Amino acid sequence: IAGGTPFSFGPDFVIGATGRGSLGQSEGFNTQHNIMSLGVLSYRFDNGDWHVDALVTGSTARQWTTREGEGYFGGFSTAVKVPVRLSYLDINEMGPGTVEAYTNTNQRFDIYDINNYNVTAVSGGRLDRRETMKAGNLNVKRRLGFLPFPAALQVGWAGREQTRDSQTYTRNYTYNGINGDFSAKTFEAVVYRNIHEEQMTGIERNPPPGKGAPYASPHLAYRAYLGNPNLFTTTAAQAVTMEQGRRANSLYIEEGVDALYAQGEMRLFKNRLNILGGVRYERTTNFGKGLLNNPNAVWMRNPDGSFARNAAGARIRRTEAGAAGSLDELNLTQTERGYTASRSFDGYYPSLHFTYNISDNLVARAAYAATYGRPNYANIVPNTVINETDFGGGVPDPNVVKGTLTVRNTGLRPWTADNYDLSLEYYTNSGGLFGAGVFDKEIKDFFGTLSKVATAADVAELGLEPSFVGWQVNTQINTGDAQVSGVEVSANQSLHILGRWGKPFKVFANVTKIKVKGAAEGDFSGFLPQVINYGVTFSKSGLIVMAKWNQRSDVAQGLQAYLGPDARAHIKGRTILDMNISYQIWKGTSLFFNARNLTNERVDYLRYGSQTPAYASVFQARSYGGATFDAGVKGSF
């Protein structure tokens, strides 16, 4: 629903601005299939001095949606036949409580009348993704019994090879009616009215009993299409768009990871101090194929590479390029999987951990570890869009930008971090635990964005041809240093100290607060400023009941420039209640019942800045229709 700023004819009659409203709906439907095969072979040996374990595994997986022709369209959209003006009433954080619609002649518009709608768009399509994975590891540990204190040495190897082949396309259709007839009778063949719900979350909160908004049916539409193929047709422009999308979403990537490690462990001061340290070497290689987009491939060029021009100075179009927007043009400008790239990176990652038993109840821990984070598939699958500047036949000025290049950075390095942790834990005589700790993560090569005129060094880093020096390059890069620091506090204690009634109860809680710092281009989305978990457990006579609350603060996401210079997307914080119940029938066998999000808390996605009205901050709200339950029997025999 969309509308303009309301104006008033009186205290109780408010309508939207003329010509500024629209009303429509969209439906989606698909059948998704997933199949996976997996094989695992493992080996283990332990004679007290030597411990060896090894594993080899392989898997194949495929995910696909049912293609067109299986009895339905994948997408369906409708809109009202005439322009409408909309009035928003009872506005709250979730939007308007009531929406009233009027025609441009100020007549009340019936949003429930099926005769007032037309089909606007129908679509189909398919996803087909295949993955294979091979992995293995080998670990060998030797206890060093000849030393005067307990010690051991361990070495190992781990490796993984993974490939992904993904293709997606969408086909759009134009609705023609029957011989151009868009009457209600024709339309009724492809929609239905929901008359079973008296309360809906549609245009009005509480439609009159027996009335509901008409909903498009992808199944009825496809049935009508089989009876009359002229009802929905694909235009030449839609065919080009479909092929363009298919090529852009045809992706292939290979990734291989190999790692070697060595670590030693020793216990000193009568086992009060435990030291564990080692180093890991890891190497990752990537190879991928994606779309090569070169819009200037439609123009003829001279032997020196400049554009060929006619007597009037205009660039000359290649004959085989066909008309603008044609499939012939697409075949020249966009090459499916025409852009290939490969990259490898490696590094050493040491770690050192100390655990010291200050007393029987008090333990101190200190640790250092070097870690890293890889780019995800979406960042390293090759894809580039080229827009070259037309200099009008003259010699390009070296100070003028030669063109714009938007490219995925297949050479994006993983970020690395030095991690420091310090904690203190106190264990009560009744099995309780109270702990507190601080941590600091010093990150190098954090991920961010680049938009600049490329130098020779930039081009080399991105793996591009030297001819792209002087072009405007937009991509993701390693921005530099960043810091994540925080504090953690936790407690877990039985209530037996309160007397006999408190003996079956245990309570627990933990709080984590973090602070992030880094360049403005850095991507800190997903870092939770605060998380609080707390709950209670009751255990008696084979019955265990646990209630857990998880409270998350708002999470900042990416910038939303269209809402203002400081606007960002956020996921609103919420508190979720989970419950677990189990009862032991006999030894080794129990009944269980689990509930997640018992109070059905929704997820609110916010987009706002200093210029956003408070009531307009909710962009999307998701409710999953109630809690998730599972129940069953578990046991060992």
Side-chain angles (χ1 to χ4, degrees):
I1 301 173
T5 303
F7 61 90
S8 175
F9 286 105
D12 300 318
F13 189 69
V14 182
I15 64 175
T18 303
R20 293 289 299 279
S22 64
L23 190 153
Q25 60 165 280
S26 61
E27 298 288 325
F29 190 93
N30 70 68
T31 303
Q32 189 174 106
H33 307 267
N34 294 275
I35 186 171
M36 177 175 151
S37 60
L38 173 68
V40 179
L41 178 64
S42 62
Y43 170 79
R44 179 171 179 169
F45 171 81
D46 192 344
N47 67 358
D49 291 326
W50 289 92
H51 176 89
V52 180
D53 65 80
L55 180 143
V56 177
T57 182
S59 66
T60 62
R62 184 186 176 197
Q63 178 187 44
W64 75 99
T65 56
T66 303
R67 69 181 68 207
E68 299 172 56
E70 298 295 329
Y72 54 83
F73 287 115
F76 202 99
S77 299
T78 64
V80 292
K81 291 182 177 181
V82 298
V84 294
R85 301 184 295 184
L86 302 177
S87 176
Y88 297 154
L89 306 175
D90 306 322
I91 295 175
N92 55 56
E93 67 167 2
M94 288 300 297
T98 303
V99 177
E100 295 178 349
Y102 298 86
T103 67
N104 284 342
T105 59
N106 297 332
Q107 299 300 311
R108 188 67 179 266
F109 183 85
D110 188 355
I111 61 178
Y112 303 113
D113 187 352
I114 197 172
N115 300 316
N116 286 335
Y117 292 82
N118 262 334
V119 178
T120 56
V122 176
S123 64
R126 196 182 191 211
L127 161 71
D128 194 345
R129 180 179 296 129
R130 302 166 189 261
E131 293 197 28
T132 62
M133 190 271 291
K134 296 181 291 184
N137 62 66
L138 173 64
N139 303 289
V140 179
K141 183 176 182 179
R142 169 66 176 176
R143 295 176 177 85
L144 306 179
F146 57 86
L147 295 176
F149 50 83
L153 180 65
Q154 183 170 330
V155 295
W157 164 87
R160 173 178 60 84
E161 292 183 4
Q162 188 170 357
T163 65
R164 173 179 291 184
D165 190 330
S166 179
Q167 297 198 24
T168 306
Y169 74 84
T170 300
R171 183 191 300 275
N172 293 313
Y173 297 85
T174 298
Y175 175 60
N176 302 309
I178 299 177
N179 298 322
D181 180 10
F182 292 90
S183 66
K185 182 177 180 180
T186 303
F187 187 69
E188 287 177 354
V190 294
V191 299
Y192 64 91
R193 183 192 301 278
N194 186 338
I195 61 174
H196 302 293
E197 297 183 34
E198 294 187 3
Q199 287 191 340
M200 303 178 62
T201 57
I203 306 306
E204 291 186 353
R205 298 296 182 186
N206 296 290
K211 296 198 70 176
Y215 282 83
S217 169
H219 296 81
L220 293 178
Y222 193 80
R223 189 182 307 168
Y225 170 67
L226 293 179
N228 181 4
N230 292 323
L231 195 61
F232 302 103
T233 58
T234 299
T235 66
Q238 287 173 327
V240 172
T241 300
M242 181 193 74
E243 178 61 15
Q244 182 180 22
R246 188 194 68 78
R247 297 185 188 191
N249 290 288
S250 177
L251 308 171
Y252 177 83
I253 188 167
E254 298 176 359
E255 183 174 74
V257 181
D258 286 285
L260 296 170
Y261 77 90
Q263 71 177 28
E265 181 179 8
M266 65 182 69
R267 293 181 178 272
L268 305 174
F269 306 127
K270 298 181 180 180
N271 292 334
R272 299 180 71 87
L273 175 64
N274 183 65
I275 303 174
L276 176 66
V279 63
R280 177 185 178 92
Y281 170 78
E282 186 163 311
R283 175 181 173 85
T284 300
T285 59
N286 291 316
F287 171 77
K289 300 179 182 180
L291 178 71
L292 177 63
N293 186 350
N294 184 3
N296 289 294
V298 300
W299 307 111
M300 295 181 62
R301 293 183 182 265
N302 297 315
D304 62 358
S306 62
F307 291 115
R309 300 179 181 274
N310 58 24
R315 289 183 291 183
I316 302 173
R317 191 178 178 88
R318 295 171 62 176
T319 304
E320 62 270 31
S326 67
L327 190 59
D328 290 331
E329 180 185 69
L330 186 70
N331 288 332
L332 285 178
T333 59
Q334 298 193 9
T335 306
E336 180 181 2
R337 300 188 180 184
Y339 180 28
T340 63
S342 61
R343 190 64 182 262
S344 65
F345 47 84
D346 60 1
Y348 292 90
Y349 306 98
S351 64
L352 186 61
H353 303 262
F354 297 91
T355 302
Y356 184 70
N357 292 277
I358 301 173
S359 68
D360 292 342
N361 300 86
L362 189 62
V363 178
R365 303 181 191 274
Y368 163 80
T371 59
Y372 73 102
R374 290 194 197 97
N376 60 39
Y377 278 150
N379 298 123
I380 58 179
V381 174
N383 188 289
T384 184
V385 178
I386 302 170
N387 287 291
E388 186 173 354
T389 304
D390 181 5
F391 291 100
V395 178
D397 186 333
N399 297 315
V400 175
V401 175
K402 299 178 181 179
T404 301
L405 191 69
T406 302
V407 59
R408 288 180 182 165
N409 185 1
T410 60
L412 191 67
R413 298 186 303 277
W415 55 258
T416 59
D418 292 318
N419 302 271
Y420 304 91
D421 294 87
L422 183 64
S423 65
L424 197 63
E425 300 170 355
Y426 178 76
Y427 295 85
T428 68
N429 293 329
S430 58
L433 168 64
F434 295 87
V438 294
F439 59 88
D440 181 67
K441 182 188 292 284
E442 300 291 335
I443 306 174
K444 297 179 180 179
D445 291 331
F446 200 57
F447 299 151
T449 57
L450 168 73
S451 182
K452 61 175 292 191
V453 177
T455 64
D458 296 326
V459 167
E461 183 177 1
L462 293 171
L464 302 172
E465 295 292 332
S467 59
F468 287 116
V469 172
W471 284 58
Q472 175 78 26
V473 175
N474 302 314
T475 188
Q476 188 174 31
I477 61 167
N478 300 101
T479 60
D481 296 342
Q483 182 186 39
V484 179
S485 56
V487 59
E488 296 176 313
V489 179
S490 62
N492 187 337
Q493 177 62 44
S494 168
L495 297 183
H496 77 284
I497 57 176
L498 300 179
R500 182 178 177 183
W501 70 268
K503 188 175 182 179
F505 292 93
K506 284 186 177 181
V507 293
F508 63 90
N510 60 74
V511 180
T512 302
K513 300 191 71 171
I514 68 170
K515 182 179 180 180
V516 297
K517 183 170 63 175
E521 300 85 357
D523 180 13
F524 291 101
S525 60
F527 283 92
L528 278 166
Q530 178 175 290
V531 179
I532 303 176
N533 296 289
Y534 54 93
V536 59
T537 301
F538 173 85
S539 178
K540 187 175 183 180
S541 302
L543 175 66
I544 301 175
V545 180
M546 177 185 292
K548 301 179 292 184
W549 287 264
N550 173 260
Q551 180 180 325
R552 300 157 61 95
S553 61
D554 290 3
V555 183
Q557 302 290 298
L559 293 169
Q560 305 293 316
Y562 72 97
L563 294 177
D566 61 345
R568 280 187 175 272
H570 300 262
I571 301 177
K572 188 177 181 179
R574 61 176 182 157
T575 301
I576 297 176
L577 169 61
D578 297 338
M579 183 165 286
N580 308 103
I581 303 174
S582 67
Y583 180 72
Q584 182 174 315
I585 306 172
W586 56 78
K587 186 176 180 180
T589 305
S590 301
L591 300 174
F592 69 87
F593 174 82
N594 301 321
R596 176 166 174 77
N597 194 11
L598 193 59
T599 55
N600 190 28
E601 296 294 322
R602 71 171 189 256
V603 183
D604 288 350
Y605 296 85
L606 314 178
R607 292 184 180 181
Y608 62 86
S610 59
Q611 302 175 9
T612 308
Y615 67 82
S617 62
V618 178
F619 171 75
Q620 185 180 84
R622 294 183 182 179
S623 181
Y624 297 96
T628 301
F629 302 98
D630 63 274
V633 180
K634 59 182 178 181
S636 58
F637 306 93

